[in-house]
Amino acid sequence: FNRYHAFVYNWTHIFSPRVLNDFIFHENNFLNRIPSFVENRNEIRFPSVQDGGNFRIPQQTPQNRVQFRDNLSWATGSHALKFGGEVQRIDAGAVFDLFGSGTIETTEDFATRDRNGDGQVNDNDIIIADTIRSVAPVRPPTVADLDNNYFAFYAQDDWKVRPNFTLNLGLR
């Protein structure tokens, strides 16, 4: 179940025929949520099919992002200069119950012989390859603070050295 909202504001201002400024504000809110569809049941994996609660859910990833970006373009003589930068703030977290329900893996789909000696050939005779279950002390594990700050600045010059030769120089 995903929810996504976004808002973008762009303002372009012409200072003169040779100077242009472009400002952008962007905000988005995102939530990806995968609930557990089968509560308190282990996943059983046969070679050809699986049943029960998936060992990777429930999961949840919220993310709120704010971005400010500004670019200034200036044409002067044989130079086309650009300067700018951006700032982003991402507030994010995660909930993931990996192996919260457990997984049982078998070696065959159906029992082929009486392995436990009870006189019957049934599901109790299917060989279990392995079982996996988390021993995490807190269920489900939560990472509340996956925040990130991002800053970037740049300067660029497209210098027309000759009519058939332009030199592009930049630093970010």
Side-chain angles (χ1 to χ4, degrees), residues 1 11 47 52 57 63 65 69 71 73 86-87 92 100 106 109 118 127 135 149 153 161 166:
F1 300 102
W11 178 54
I57 56 177
Q63 184 185 78
R65 179 173 160 260
R69 187 171 63 211
N71 300 299
S73 300
E86 77 177 86
V87 176
T106 66
D109 288 325
D118 65 357
I127 297 174
V135 294
N149 293 312
F153 303 96
V161 180
T166 301

Side-chain angles (χ1 to χ4, degrees), residues 9-20:
Y9 173 80
N10 186 325
W11 178 54
T12 303
H13 182 75
I14 301 171
F15 288 101
S16 73
R18 296 182 173 270
V19 180
L20 173 82

Side-chain angles (χ1 to χ4, degrees), residues 26-154:
H26 177 204
E27 178 181 14
N28 68 279
N29 300 303
F30 170 74
L31 176 62
N32 169 256
R33 191 173 59 82
I34 305 170
S36 180
F37 297 102
V38 180
E39 296 290 333
N40 300 320
R41 291 213 23 219
N42 289 329
E43 176 182 46
I44 301 174
R45 288 184 169 213
F46 298 94
S48 63
V49 70
Q50 62 189 41
D51 185 30
N54 188 306
F55 73 92
R56 294 179 214 88
I57 56 177
Q59 291 183 34
Q60 180 171 295
T61 308
Q63 184 185 78
N64 298 312
R65 179 173 160 260
V66 176
Q67 174 189 32
F68 296 93
R69 187 171 63 211
D70 193 62
N71 300 299
L72 179 74
S73 300
W74 177 26
T76 177
S78 60
H79 296 270
L81 303 166
K82 286 188 177 182
F83 306 94
E86 77 177 86
V87 176
Q88 285 189 46
R89 168 78 178 154
I90 300 173
D91 294 317
V95 174
F96 50 95
D97 203 1
L98 204 55
F99 297 113
S101 63
T103 296
I104 300 169
E105 295 191 22
T106 66
T107 59
E108 57 190 358
D109 288 325
F110 302 101
T112 55
R113 61 180 195 211
D114 182 14
R115 290 189 173 90
N116 64 359
D118 65 357
Q120 300 176 29
V121 177
N122 57 26
D123 288 349
N124 293 329
D125 297 308
I126 296 174
I127 297 174
I128 294 175
D130 58 59
T131 60
I132 304 170
R133 185 154 178 97
S134 175
V135 294
V138 177
R139 302 255 39 104
T142 301
V143 181
D145 194 17
L146 292 172
D147 299 345
N148 188 7
N149 293 312
Y150 172 80
F151 303 95
F153 303 96
Y154 75 94

